[in-house]
Amino acid sequence: MYFARRLSIWPTLPLNVYFRHVSKWLPFPLSDDGCRVFSKARHAIWNACRTMGLGGNDVVLVPAYHHGCEIEALLQAGVKIRYYEVTDLLEPDASSLETMLTPDVKVLYLIHYLGFPQDAIRWRKWCDERGLLLFEDAAQAFLAEFDDKPVGSFGHAGVFCLYKTYGIPDGGAVITFMPPKLPESEHPSGRWGVFKRHVNWVAERWALIGSIHLYVKPLLKKWKRKKNHNPHKEFELGDPNTLPSDMTMRLITKMVDHSTAERRRENYKFLLDHHRHLVPRPFATLPKGACPFAFPVEVDDADEVLKKLRRYGVEGLLFWRNAHPSLPVKEFPKSMAFRNRVFAVPVHQELTASELMQITEALHRATTKKLNPITT
Ligand SMILES: Cc1ncc(COP(=O)(O)O)c(C=O)c1O
């Protein structure tokens, strides 16, 4: 076992967060009176569909490159889905979308991948000209901007994951022209989630804890998988009326900061300067308003490289390997190539300069032949 700090793509929760002041500044959509926060973004999607009156025979055009839980939320909200393939730049292709239009198509679902903004102005115009609604999925793009305006503010609905940007236990925000009614149930406490994110912060700072974490977590995962193996569990909707935890609501106002997006961009640029040749084309240049969720790496043997990275303390994520079971995967080869070949490493705002160095060196060593321990 190597001895290393554990660096994961998920933002961690600093121990001093309780002593911070509540921020006077709130970012979009939290700054908007129409914003509603549920436990997860999938709950926000389900609720947005309901309040926008979608259901029955309404068809939503959704990208074949997706997480899967957003598709499940749409299906459970009662809409039908029709898949579109993405281009090499992960954008929708206007001419192929055109061929999919029938009178029952009501919505274009647009995902802002990894915090990189799509051209939301263009797609809003495209929707308006065809009498469609634009649904912006900014689950990975909280704090990102396009044309100096927040991503998620261009569509008729926008959803965001707060916990993907800050180390809080949960939080899925939604903004629509018809804000959903919040349930009157209790907020879960979220203390266990907070504890885990604090442990992640400690594992990111101290190699002893990091190594124990790196060693024990896969064993626990393996054991859990043996007990109850369900490859589609990550897509489950759960109760769409679950409120965010009490800890999320208390801590988010202490964590939001003007500098977050800039720090993520700086970290991304640093890795880009060292590893541009590994980055898939849609993410090879950093646009002005991006708030990167993670740093994507494209390789032939993703599983092998990820295994090597772990030895250097970097827990990469092969995100979206499994598509939603409703996707006829063979008909969407471009999306499948992304699923099999692209994984991500951290760029979050809590990373220190030496941790970024650790990621850079780990990437270098894991993608070349030699395997030596890194001294941190
Ligand atoms: C593109 C996209 N949309 C929606 C979601 C749903 O987020 P949550 O897990 O908060 O329900 C995710 C989750 O990873 C996602 O990647």
Side-chain angles (χ1 to χ4, degrees):
M1 186 171 94
Y2 288 94
F3 203 59
R5 295 172 296 196
R6 171 195 176 258
L7 309 176
S8 140
I9 67 166
W10 299 99
T12 56
L13 189 57
L15 301 179
N16 71 2
V17 65
Y18 307 97
F19 303 104
R20 294 187 188 171
H21 292 295
V22 168
S23 166
K24 290 201 178 84
W25 170 78
L26 274 182
F28 184 85
L30 303 176
S31 53
D32 194 294
D33 286 344
C35 173
R36 300 286 179 270
V37 184
F38 293 86
S39 175
K40 291 186 161 187
R42 64 196 77 183
H43 305 149
I45 295 166
W46 185 91
N47 278 283
C49 287
R50 289 295 173 106
T51 58
M52 290 197 296
L54 297 170
N57 290 322
D58 296 333
V59 174
V60 181
L61 301 180
V62 290
Y65 190 49
H66 55 250
H67 176 279
C69 66
E70 70 287 60
I71 306 295
E72 187 62 25
L74 290 166
L75 288 171
Q76 293 218 23
V79 300
K80 296 207 169 86
I81 51 170
R82 195 169 291 164
Y83 287 109
Y84 64 84
E85 182 58 299
V86 287
T87 66
D88 291 341
L89 290 176
L90 288 182
E91 292 167 341
D93 175 45
S95 55
S96 75
L97 285 184
E98 212 67 62
T99 64
M100 299 170 73
L101 292 180
T102 48
D104 46 359
V105 173
K106 295 287 172 343
V107 181
L108 173 67
Y109 196 89
L110 183 69
I111 299 183
H112 298 281
Y113 298 103
L114 291 183
F116 280 55
Q118 299 270 6
D119 186 344
I121 295 178
R122 173 187 177 199
W123 294 112
R124 173 63 196 248
K125 186 163 175 279
W126 189 88
C127 285
D128 286 347
E129 285 166 1
R130 288 156 185 81
L132 304 181
L133 299 175
L134 176 65
F135 200 128
E136 287 184 81
D137 184 325
Q140 298 184 332
F142 179 43
L143 308 183
E145 293 184 348
F146 180 73
D147 200 31
D148 294 328
K149 288 196 208 72
V151 150
S153 67
F154 298 87
H156 299 86
V159 291
F160 308 78
C161 277
L162 308 181
Y163 66 90
K164 284 192 170 72
T165 304
Y166 292 106
I168 45 180
D170 62 354
V174 60
I175 186 105
T176 61
F177 58 89
M178 285 284 285
K181 198 168 166 294
L182 285 176
E184 276 164 24
S185 50
E186 301 254 302
H187 292 261
S189 88
R191 279 193 217 105
W192 173 239
V194 160
F195 173 74
K196 285 196 287 187
R197 276 151 191 82
H198 278 320
V199 171
N200 292 348
W201 186 85
V202 174
E204 207 166 75
R205 293 292 178 283
W206 286 286
L208 173 63
I209 309 292
S211 306
I212 295 171
H213 201 302
L214 278 161
Y215 187 69
V216 171
K217 204 175 157 200
L219 295 180
L220 280 177
K221 258 191 172 169
K222 217 174 180 179
W223 175 72
K224 265 196 199 159
R225 218 179 293 141
K226 246 190 192 164
K227 257 181 68 174
N228 182 15
H229 183 60
N230 174 3
H232 301 137
K233 188 158 178 52
E234 58 180 325
F235 305 149
E236 282 173 8
L237 176 65
D239 178 359
N241 284 314
T242 312
L243 287 171
S245 69
D246 192 36
M247 290 307 271
T248 287
M249 296 317 277
R250 277 171 53 192
L251 295 180
I252 185 75
T253 52
K254 288 174 178 276
M255 300 193 78
V256 288
D257 191 289
H258 277 296
S259 67
T260 303
E262 187 52 37
R263 295 216 332 247
R264 283 177 172 261
R265 277 198 295 271
E266 286 300 318
N267 293 346
Y268 193 98
K269 268 188 235 156
F270 180 85
L271 295 182
L272 201 55
D273 284 346
H274 290 81
H275 300 288
R276 195 178 294 270
H277 62 289
L278 296 174
V279 177
R281 227 180 107 209
F283 306 105
T285 49
L286 185 65
K288 191 172 139 241
C291 179
F293 167 55
F295 183 79
V297 172
E298 184 173 9
V299 287
D300 290 331
D301 50 350
D303 287 316
E304 200 46 42
V305 175
L306 281 170
K307 227 188 269 168
K308 288 182 188 168
L309 278 176
R310 280 186 73 79
R311 298 189 200 170
Y312 300 123
V314 178
E315 210 172 56
L317 185 69
L318 187 63
F319 57 105
W320 300 2
R321 166 138 291 179
N322 301 314
H324 189 272
S326 63
L327 180 79
V329 289
K330 290 207 176 103
E331 292 170 29
F332 297 94
K334 267 190 200 145
S335 297
M336 279 321 285
F338 271 97
R339 288 184 192 282
N340 293 329
R341 295 171 52 79
V342 179
F343 69 86
V345 297
V347 292
H348 66 75
Q349 66 277 9
E350 306 294 343
L351 293 172
T352 62
S354 79
E355 287 162 0
L356 274 173
M357 238 9 247
Q358 182 180 334
I359 297 170
T360 300
E361 287 186 27
L363 262 180
H364 177 69
R365 288 165 198 231
T367 52
T368 52
K369 294 285 168 243
K370 244 170 59 200
L371 259 186
N372 296 319
I374 295 176
T375 43
T376 54

